[in-house]
Amino acid sequence: MESKTTIWTGRILSGLPALLLLFSAALKLYGGPGLAEGFAHLGLSPSLAVPLAILEITCTLIYLIPRTSPLGAILLTGYMGGAVLTHLRAGDPFYMQVLVGVFVWGGLYLREPRLRELIPVRTRSTKLI
C-alpha cells in the first residue's frame, strides 16, 4: 500500500514536466519572431514547429493518462533525447532537458506501483555471505 504523500509527490513531479512541455508546445504553435530565430540557432527549420508541438502535446497527454503513462514516459524520453542532441549540436546547455526526463521518470516511479514492483529500491544492504 503506497502512502498518499508518495502518490501526491509523484503527481507533482509528473505535473511539472507536463506543464513545461505543454507550455513549450503552445509557444511553438503561437510562433512569433523569436521562434524562427531560436529554431535557426538550433539548426531547425521553422516549418518543424507545428509538427514538434503536436508531437510534444501527444506524448505529454499519453503520459498524463494513468493507464498509458509508462508508454508516455518512454515516448517523452525519446523526445527529450532528441532535444539533448539538438542542444549539444548547437553548443547549448542541455541540463534542463535531462532534468525534465528525470522528473518524468521520478514522478512516474512514485505514482505507479507497477513500476516500483518492476524496479525496487533497496532500503538496506544484503550480505552475500
Side-chain angles (χ1 to χ4, degrees):
M1 179 91 182
E2 60 265 355
S3 73
K4 287 185 179 184
T5 304
T6 301
I7 297 215
W8 274 103
T9 302
R11 288 177 180 167
I12 291 168
L13 284 178
S14 294
L16 292 173
L19 287 173
L20 182 70
L21 289 162
L22 292 173
F23 180 71
S24 170
L27 290 176
K28 287 177 181 76
L29 290 173
Y30 175 71
L35 178 83
E37 186 178 303
F39 268 54
H41 171 72
L42 295 172
L44 300 173
S45 168
S47 66
L48 292 174
V50 172
L52 284 173
I54 292 169
L55 180 62
E56 224 169 352
I57 291 167
T58 303
C59 292
T60 302
L61 290 177
I62 291 170
Y63 175 68
L64 289 174
I65 298 168
R67 184 169 225 155
T68 60
S69 56
L71 174 62
I74 292 167
L75 294 172
L76 287 174
T77 301
Y79 184 84
M80 296 315 296
V84 166
L85 178 62
T86 300
H87 284 272
L88 270 173
R89 196 171 134 273
D92 290 344
F94 58 90
Y95 58 88
M96 183 61 88
Q97 290 76 18
V98 172
L99 193 59
V100 168
V102 169
F103 273 50
V104 163
W105 281 100
L108 182 61
Y109 187 84
L110 292 175
R111 67 185 171 98
E112 181 56 63
R114 294 176 299 175
L115 186 58
R116 288 194 305 274
E117 287 176 19
L118 183 64
I119 308 169
V121 174
R122 296 182 185 180
T123 56
R124 60 187 169 126
S125 64
T126 57
K127 293 183 181 180
L128 296 174
I129 298 177

